[in-house]
Amino acid sequence: MKPKAKLQTEAQGIKQPLSMMTTELIQTLVNNYRANQLLSIRETMGIEDAHSIQFDFTTLKRFIYDIETLALEGNSGINAEDLGIRFYYAAYPNAENWGIMGDTPIGIECAEMHTLVMVPTIKRKGEDGEIGNYDFNPLDINGKGTSAKAFGKDSGIDPEFVCQNHGNLVPPDNSKTELF
């Protein structure tokens, strides 16, 4: 059997090994979720929850571009290397409370299903002196930028926060395109 070449990618001039897992490990992790968390949701809440979410490249690349552009334009002291994205596990409201979704394009068929909310992060030194990746709103630049630690979680910051939410949830989207 011929040994595989060690694949590398280059982003922003930095060579890194290609991030890979075996299909067996991926399937095991997916099966663990379905046999535990997804089953628990089904049994306790009585709903068929989504088990995957898909985002197209254009959406992801635009989100990353927007974070970087807004942050760097708003504060020259920010380095792109300090920016990141946190994925929050979230759930849509039930059908009775769907009105809070406003004019989002997300349909009521997603009521109570879990989703992901992606929020920008910025690497900063906290009050304790330790470096951490803090939630960050590049729309609210004021010297250091708005981060969770700088202003507290309930600080009354601008209610409009740069984020990305809805991709294609499966279900309600068709699972025939999934490998795992």
Side-chain angles (χ1 to χ4, degrees):
M1 179 182 223
K2 185 175 165 182
K4 289 185 179 180
K6 188 172 185 175
L7 300 174
Q8 290 193 342
T9 60
E10 188 169 336
Q12 297 178 339
I14 301 169
K15 287 189 177 189
Q16 297 180 343
L18 187 61
S19 181
M20 297 174 60
M21 284 194 264
T22 66
T23 55
E24 182 180 2
L25 177 56
I26 295 168
Q27 189 66 65
T28 298
L29 298 176
V30 169
N31 290 346
N32 286 344
Y33 174 79
R34 290 180 179 165
N36 296 297
Q37 286 87 345
L38 195 59
L39 180 63
S40 178
I41 290 167
R42 185 179 305 122
E43 290 175 350
T44 59
M45 295 177 67
I47 65 168
E48 288 297 320
D49 199 1
H51 59 261
S52 72
I53 187 169
Q54 182 270 332
F55 292 90
D56 61 76
F57 263 17
T58 301
T59 299
L60 292 173
K61 288 165 74 173
R62 177 61 195 236
F63 183 54
I64 293 167
Y65 172 83
D66 287 345
I67 293 168
E68 189 171 27
T69 301
L70 290 167
L72 297 178
E73 284 178 356
N75 187 326
S76 61
I78 294 176
N79 295 313
E81 296 80 24
D82 292 337
L83 300 174
I85 298 173
R86 183 180 321 281
F87 291 77
Y88 279 101
Y89 301 113
Y92 291 115
N94 61 27
E96 294 80 32
N97 295 316
W98 198 256
I100 69 169
M101 295 299 291
D103 61 355
T104 64
I106 303 159
I108 198 165
E109 67 273 6
C110 293
E112 297 185 78
M113 290 187 169
H114 80 269
T115 186
L116 296 175
V117 176
M118 293 180 261
V119 173
T121 62
I122 189 165
K123 191 177 293 182
R124 289 288 184 254
K125 189 180 289 189
E127 293 171 354
D128 58 4
E130 291 189 34
I131 301 290
N133 293 299
Y134 293 96
D135 290 355
F136 172 72
N137 189 2
L139 282 178
D140 197 10
I141 303 294
N142 59 9
K144 293 182 181 177
T146 300
S147 69
K149 193 65 170 178
F151 296 96
K153 290 185 177 190
D154 299 315
S155 65
I157 60 173
D158 188 342
E160 292 291 316
F161 205 97
V162 173
C163 71
Q164 179 63 47
N165 169 233
H166 192 69
N168 296 319
L169 289 178
V170 178
D173 205 3
N174 194 327
S175 64
K176 70 180 178 183
T177 59
E178 295 178 316
L179 182 58
F180 299 100

